[in-house]
Each structure stands twice: as structure tokens, then as C-alpha cells.
Amino acid sequence: MLSNLCGKNVQNSSDESFGLAAFKALLDSGYIQAQQIQETKNAFLEVKRNFLYTFQSVDWAKGVLKRLFLNKVQTMKFYPGFPDSLITQQNILDTIYQDLEIEDNFFLDVMNFKKFKTRYFFTRLWYGNAENSPSKISLEDNPLGDRSYYDYISNTVHIDIGLLSPPGFLYFGSIPKYLKFGEYSLLSREMSHAFDASGTFYDGKGGKWEKIWWPTILEEKYDFYVQCLQNQLCCYRILLK
């Protein structure tokens, strides 16, 4: 059924509406490999370990503040644009899309999918629970997309797997360590949002603080080191031959 969904004439609706179906078809065909996905997750864990090492070594954050930092990084999660059940449960998308009617008429296809999508949304809202795997899948997800962001509430780094695949990224396969660290920039950038001007108001569980975590004197030190980094980066020049 997945191949039918990807092959039908749904035109521009397919980019977002059938992103999961297209991803699953590529996964089943072997074009996208489970090992590649696992290496991407391992990359996140490696960057996470480096964040923990950095926070453990800073001398301006101590006591409760340091524990809050470390807890937020330790509990941080990674979401590649799809739930694990998409891989572990072979026919889960067939179950979800079984009630979708596809015609040979573009207008009807669009209307049918909009009705199906609305019906599925409210079914998840009403019957969704931790034991029901389909209820964890959102049709808004598109692993082949180009979204990357950090979610303050769930303390989760969301990067579509399409951004972490060749030719843009080469996590898959054996490459030198220094090249891997260069590729980790997207992961580390999104993780750093946990401690930006907005992220500092949320703890590791998504709870919002009315005031910034640390006292004013530590806030001033934090701003000082941020400015040091900005000054350093501004000094670099690109020489073109």
C-alpha cells in the first residue's frame, strides 16, 4: 500500500502529507539503512557526552546551577522525524492508512486526504495512549524534510533524518574523526538552544521558570563568555584566492 500512496497523483500534497510513507518505502527498499539511522543517534550521544564534559569542567557554574545544567543535558532526547515503531513494527503505516481512499482525481484526492487527516488527528486525541503505537505517529512528521529545531517543553532535539544523510552529512560509514566533529555542528547547534535566551527559562522536564536559573552575578559571567565567543568568531576572515 505504501508504494501506491507514494505513486499516486497527489502532487504537492505528497511532500508533507506522505513524508512518512515515502520514508518507509525508501527504508524497506534499502536506500535508507537502519545502520545509518543508528549512527546518527550515536552521533547525538557523542555530542551529548561532550556537552556533559564541558559543563563539568566550567568553573563559573557551581552547586545547584551545575546540577541543573547536567540534568538538562542528561535528559535531552533526539527525534529524527519519526518514531522507532516505524522501524520495529513492519506494517504499522498500512494500519494507519487503510481507511484512506485514493482516486484518480486530484481534487478528490486532496479532499479525501484532508478528511482522513482530520479524522486521524481526533482519533489520536481521543484514543491516544502509551500502549497504542499508531497513536504515537503524527502525520505531520516528514523524516525526509529539512526541519531542525530544539523543543523547550520536551527537551528534545528534532532534526529530520533527511538533513543528516549524504550528501549533506556523512555519518554513515568510516570517516576521519575530525570530519565527524565538523558534521556534528548541526546537532550541537540545536542542543545549544537549550541554554539560549529562551532555553534558560526551562528545566530538563520542560517546566518554565519565572526567572533565569542562576543569580545575577552568574548571569553576567555567562553573558561575558558568550561575548568572548562572539568576538573570537567575528575575527575570522575567509581568504579567497
Side-chain angles (χ1 to χ4, degrees):
M1 178 169 179
L2 291 178
S3 59
N4 292 336
L5 285 174
C6 297
K8 286 290 186 178
N9 181 27
V10 291
Q11 295 184 8
N12 58 358
S13 296
S14 63
D15 293 339
E16 297 180 358
S17 303
F18 297 112
L20 284 174
F23 170 76
K24 189 65 166 66
L26 292 174
L27 187 66
D28 291 343
S29 70
Y31 183 83
I32 296 177
Q33 301 180 23
Q35 182 183 353
Q36 180 180 353
I37 297 170
Q38 185 57 51
E39 289 196 11
T40 301
K41 293 180 179 180
N42 292 341
F44 169 73
L45 294 177
E46 185 168 357
V47 176
K48 190 174 178 178
R49 284 192 294 269
N50 280 275
F51 264 75
L52 290 171
Y53 174 79
T54 300
F55 280 132
Q56 287 170 345
S57 60
V58 297
D59 57 358
W60 55 270
K62 300 177 181 179
V64 176
L65 175 61
K66 180 170 286 191
R67 288 197 297 272
L68 287 170
F69 276 170
L70 294 175
N71 175 262
K72 189 165 188 180
V73 177
Q74 287 168 341
T75 56
M76 191 178 293
K77 300 177 288 294
F78 173 67
Y79 187 74
F82 64 91
D84 291 337
S85 57
L86 202 64
I87 297 178
T88 59
Q89 299 185 33
Q90 184 66 26
N91 299 318
I92 190 168
L93 283 187
D94 288 333
T95 301
I96 291 174
Y97 284 112
Q98 63 183 351
D99 295 328
L100 175 61
E101 298 179 4
I102 298 294
E103 309 288 347
D104 289 327
N105 182 293
F106 173 72
F107 178 75
L108 291 179
D109 284 343
V110 172
M111 295 302 295
N112 285 340
F113 187 77
K114 287 185 179 295
K115 289 190 293 184
F116 166 78
K117 196 173 181 180
T118 302
R119 193 163 55 243
Y120 179 74
F121 172 81
F122 283 106
T123 299
R124 288 182 67 217
L125 189 65
W126 187 259
Y127 295 105
N129 59 75
E131 289 74 28
N132 184 12
S133 296
S135 69
K136 298 179 182 179
I137 295 180
S138 170
L139 297 182
E140 302 295 333
D141 283 341
N142 181 11
L144 303 177
D146 57 359
R147 295 176 300 172
S148 67
Y149 60 90
Y150 169 77
D151 183 66
Y152 305 112
I153 304 301
S154 62
N155 192 23
T156 300
V157 173
H158 182 132
I159 302 179
D160 290 333
I161 199 70
L163 282 176
L164 299 175
S165 302
F169 288 80
L170 300 172
Y171 290 125
F172 184 61
S174 177
I175 62 174
K177 187 84 169 181
Y178 59 86
L179 286 180
K180 284 193 174 183
F181 273 109
E183 293 176 337
Y184 293 170
S185 59
L186 180 58
L187 286 166
S188 57
R189 186 195 73 187
E190 297 304 338
M191 292 173 68
S192 67
H193 285 304
F195 305 98
D196 64 12
S198 299
T200 49
F201 287 92
Y202 294 86
D203 60 22
K205 296 181 180 179
K208 188 172 183 180
W209 295 65
E210 292 300 324
K211 292 185 178 181
I212 203 165
W213 293 359
W214 48 84
T216 303
I217 187 171
L218 290 181
E219 184 179 353
E220 291 174 354
K221 286 187 176 182
Y222 176 85
D223 291 338
F224 171 78
Y225 285 112
V226 168
Q227 189 61 50
C228 284
L229 181 60
Q230 290 177 350
N231 294 339
Q232 177 184 347
L233 297 178
C234 288
C235 291
Y236 291 126
R237 296 290 184 269
I238 299 177
L239 300 179
L240 301 177
K241 294 183 179 180

